[in-house]
Amino acid sequence: MSILVTGGAGYIGSHTVVELLELGKEVVIIDDLSNASSKVIDRIENITGKRPAFYQLDVKDKNALRTVFEKEDIESAIHFAAFKAVGESVQKPGLYYENNLMGILALVEVMLEFDVKKIVFSSSATVYGSFNPSPYKEDMPVGVPTSPYGQTKVMCEQILRDIYVADNNWSISLLRYFNPIGAHESGLIGEDPSGIPNNLMPFIAQVAVGKREFLNIFGDDYDTEDGTCVRDYIHVVDLARGHVKALGKLDQDKQVYTYNLGSGKGTSVLELVNTFVQVTGVEVPYKIAPRRAGDLPVFYANADKALAELNWTTEKSIEDMCRDTWNWQSKNPNGYQG
Ligand code: UDP
């Protein structure tokens, strides 16, 4: 019996595949490689000694998906495959709604055809919107995200909840990620953004490796201790392990589970930059720039529920995240292209 991992060649997907393989699980990856490299499959094999089955296809392509379900003995799915650039989603909302919604709809339709009713969904803390106070708790009402990307996460969660209402034989886990950073400690897999990174840690890493001159820190006049925004950073390996736990939970009761995957601790932009410099010994020049539109000053998780119900908590520190990011970036200055 295999676990289908859509988007399994991507950043979080590949780390989750490694954790699953290390536990002896069978994995089938599907990925259209629109934002990932086929080299990831080799790297996963290098780390684990096992090569997952891999199909290059678009999750929206129902016929191609059916072929995979016919060939493989799929028992559950972890659905990562989606577009994720917040800024791009504001520019191209149609593309984001189409890709992210048609993707999940195609997947659940084909799962239903093959009577596979266990799914873990890659959601985001952005579903809490801008009105809920931090720390975010799972029982807060879903808010109004400021980007089409965030809206697709709200809508996908709702689609899955409705599917459960219609058929209680589904077992569903909605995982709301905070800010995943870091890389596998081998330095063989990591985050490889295309073009100019939108997120803070990949930008820091590219400045450190000399690909960019300096970091822009977007605002130092927020109402926080040092004036820069506070986020809840989580090591991608901790995040990957959260998926394994969430998947295991689906075998207990058939329900819709919702979990925050975060550390429960806030770290400011300046703290992250300073820790990176301290841990790596590499300079990261920065300039203070105007605030970025849509940024919330502070958000972090209440991570109690995942601990209580999944026995999952983050184990890795901000120092680990910085060290592992640098290990990946310095060994792969051009990501998977190098
Ligand atoms: N940030 C920054 N410079 C950058 C990228 C991000 O100062 O080049 C800041 C951003 O304004 C936010 C924090 O870093 O306060 C985290 O941003 P990211 O995009 O990584 O995550 P998100 O804001 O989506 O939580």
Side-chain angles (χ1 to χ4, degrees), residues 86 179 197-201 203 215-218 229 231 233 269 292 295-296 299:
V86 175
N179 289 60
N198 297 303
N199 298 111
L200 178 60
M201 188 53 129
F203 207 106
L215 168 75
N216 281 304
I217 292 185
F218 299 139
C229 290
R231 295 287 180 272
Y233 296 98
V269 175
R292 184 172 71 175
D295 270 344
L296 295 175
F299 73 77

Side-chain angles (χ1 to χ4, degrees), residues 11 181-185 201 233-238 241 272 275-276 279-280 314-328:
Y11 173 47
I181 59 173
H184 191 265
E185 63 175 13
M201 188 53 129
Y233 296 98
I234 167 173
H235 195 294
V236 66
V237 171
D238 278 333
R241 291 177 181 158
L272 190 67
T275 307
F276 187 94
V279 168
T280 64
T314 55
E315 288 169 12
K316 293 177 183 278
S317 64
I318 292 286
E319 285 78 7
D320 296 329
M321 301 178 211
C322 292
R323 188 198 58 233
D324 292 339
T325 298
W326 181 236
N327 184 39
W328 152 254

Side-chain angles (χ1 to χ4, degrees), residues 112-131:
L112 203 51
E113 284 170 18
F114 286 83
D115 200 31
V116 176
K117 295 185 178 174
K118 282 192 278 182
I119 184 167
V120 174
F121 175 63
S122 172
S123 190
S124 164
T126 190
V127 301
Y128 290 107
S130 49
F131 299 117

